[in-house]
Amino acid sequence: MQLCEQDIFISDERVDKTTALQRVSEQLVAAGNTTPEYLQGMRDREAQISTYLGNGIAIPHGTPETRDAVLDTGVKIIVFRQGVAWDDENVAHMVTGIAARSNEHLEILRQLTRVLSNDSVPLALQRAETPAEVLAILTGRDTHQAQPEARLEGEQAIFVIQNPHGLHARPSAVLVKFIKQFTSHITIENLDNGTGPIDGKNLMKVVSLGAKNGHRMRFTAQGSDACQALREIGQSIREGLGEMVSVPVTPPPEAVNQKRSWLSRLFS
């Protein structure tokens, strides 16, 4: 799945969130990616949890119940240069509508979020005049890719993602919200695609890990509640982060960091 100019639109409309969802849905329908019923799924998803990632970016998408409305996996991007009030505190300038039958969209989402984690990119998008300029910004990995977080010395554990469609937006948001309750600084690294470490309390960066079902994620925590954080994060991941999980995948013995003796109990 590859992003192209035909997937990108620039709008000078001043719209609200409801209209923005309608506009991106219209583009998905026109491209043959979804039926009109998919729009209700996008609305339902927003009612469950905001799809605003941060840095001026929102990624509206449907619910599992509306997956039948997806005809063909696709992504449509609208840059609203006037901005869209997405919730009480956040304004989205780029709305990325995602329709996916499975997890084919995770790679393009990972690419987008890694690029957009650079603070200079949202302003560049607002100034872009053509879809070609937007595409150049979004695919400028070497120029705009954010530097990974420095590795911490601290407690570590590796957990396997069991969500059938990986860490897409909703389980990522649940994970970040869960991690934020701990005072420790927590980083995450995807051992299966070599991304990270990233700040576990940053939703955009967590999504950028591109974690799929079966991927091994190394969590490092440093702080007064580090041990508790890793224990409870592991339990939350095993429970599916608010979703039904697939058959648990047991990591090979060498995948588990034995740096701390208590870690072996996390996987028993």
Side-chain angles (χ1 to χ4, degrees), residues 47-67:
Q48 293 170 358
I49 189 168
S50 174
T51 61
Y52 182 84
L53 282 184
N55 235 4
I57 292 86
I59 52 166
H61 53 286
T63 60
E65 292 75 20
T66 53
R67 192 162 287 141

Side-chain angles (χ1 to χ4, degrees), residues 186-203:
I186 298 171
T187 63
I188 313 172
E189 184 175 3
N190 188 331
L191 298 179
D192 286 285
N193 65 13
T195 54
I198 55 87
D199 179 3
K201 297 179 182 180
N202 184 312
L203 177 56

